Amino acid sequence: MNESATASTAPATARFRQRIFSGIQPSGGLTLGNYLGALKRFVEKQDEGIETVYCLVDLHAITVWQDPEKLRHATREAAAGFIASGIDPARSILFNQSQVAAHAELAWIFNCVARMGWLRRMTQFKDKAGKNAEEASVGLFAYPNLMAADILAYHATHVPVGEDQKQHLELTRDIAIKFNNDFGVDFFPVVEPVIEGAATRVMSLRDGTRKMSKSDPSDMSRINLTDDADAIAQKFRKARTDPEPLPETVEGLDGRPEARNLVNIYAALADRTPAAVIAEFGGKGFGVFKPALADLAVEKLRPISAEMTRLMADVAEIDRILGAGAERADAIARPILADCLDIVGMVRSRPAHG
Ligand code: AMP
Ligand code: TRP
């Protein structure tokens, strides 16, 4: 829920046309967390008729080791997942990041705008690097600057993401503000995070205090978009819960992270509020609720995985879609990057370089 963000949009982005940008890392398969926290909402924005730019951020993925062939496969499969979920490449721009050079170029400039102290505060770096921070790649540390570049290369005004990305979007705002101040311009918009709905933070099925993640070693902790009906049913059946029946009110979910997570997942899949789900299932045990949830998830996800399989049978077509999307993305980003280079003081005299 983020009504306040929308309300404060006017001053910071007023002169910019509304444009949505978001990205997902193609490292491993897409999860139910990606679907409910991001993809499903990407489709809603597209269907509202807003200009939407969606990116498979392969340059972000390599901040930790990726097997090259697996990365290529995961990028195509994620593209299939976007399309199967309802992203229409004719209406949205869909592409992979590395095909548009402006992202990496602008990221360098932002490496010189952002401060070490700002990046040191990023909790995702601390989580991902863990005790081994000295061994982490420099890219993993600088990653939020690349994310800011992804967004600002399009002068995007709104960024739909899950809860875990909030801190990175605050950094993106800080970079835009500092750049504008340092150079005395009103060039980059101060973007608005769009963190909405019942499932902005889908939790692990094994531990209701941890985020559902494609990098969790336990496959039972997550639903993958490619899981078949049996796997989905089994994972929900075995999902960790407490022994109490579901409460009669939403407040009764306090202190029950696993129960809350399953209710939120049900609500998001059914396009209902958690209160409406509780109104139906309050007082019932998980023996009733889990099979209902599994049926709903299978009903919603099976068409997506079937369509992904169909699309993956024609990889050349997926590559064509990504290439055409990259052309359209480049046409927006390149002139913005050129203006940015002018502002910073670079000589640009190559005739063919826009
Ligand atoms: P990532 O898979 O980390 O590249 O995340 C891509 C998008 O999915 C971001 O907007 C994330 O916030 C969102 N996302 C990833 N995992 C979850 C989750 N467990 N719950 C909600 N949103 C998520
Ligand atoms: N950092 C995001 C994640 O891990 C992915 C991402 C990269 C992104 N660039 C972005 C999201 C730009 C929104 C906008 O989930």
Side-chain angles (χ1 to χ4, degrees), residues 98 105 116 133 146 156 161 184 200 206 217 219 247 257 283 292 304 314 349:
S98 59
E105 292 181 52
M116 291 294 287
L146 177 58
V161 283
T200 54
R206 310 301 300 169
D219 194 56
I304 298 177
D314 189 354
S349 48

Side-chain angles (χ1 to χ4, degrees), residues 27 55 59 77 81 103 107 125 137 215 222 228 262 264 282 294:
S27 43
C55 184
L59 296 173
E77 191 178 76
H103 294 243
F125 176 78
S137 72
S215 56
R222 65 178 157 264
D228 62 21
L262 296 185
N264 284 349

Side-chain angles (χ1 to χ4, degrees), residues 185-208:
V185 290
D186 176 24
F187 184 66
F188 285 121
V190 181
V191 295
E192 294 295 343
V194 183
I195 302 172
E196 295 169 334
T200 54
R201 193 166 166 80
V202 177
M203 308 311 279
S204 157
L205 300 181
R206 310 301 300 169
D207 177 351

Side-chain angles (χ1 to χ4, degrees), residues 21-25 57 60 97 124 143 146-147 150-151 159-161 164-165 168-169:
F21 182 97
S22 199
I24 293 189
Q25 296 198 46
V57 290
H60 277 93
Q97 186 184 28
Q124 193 179 65
Y143 155 127
L146 177 58
M147 176 162 164
D150 298 338
I151 297 165
V159 184
V161 283
D164 61 322
Q165 295 303 314
H168 290 158
L169 291 181

Side-chain angles (χ1 to χ4, degrees), residues 2 5-10 13-14 16-22 42 45 50-54 151 154-161 169 189-196:
N2 215 349
T6 319
S8 66
T9 301
T13 58
F16 297 93
R17 176 159 133 223
Q18 191 177 19
R19 179 180 282 149
I20 300 252
F21 182 97
S22 199
F42 295 177
K45 296 293 170 201
I50 304 169
E51 184 180 5
T52 41
V53 183
Y54 296 128
I151 297 165
Y154 299 87
H155 278 180
T157 54
H158 294 78
V159 184
V161 283
L169 291 181
V190 181
V191 295
E192 294 295 343
V194 183
I195 302 172
E196 295 169 334

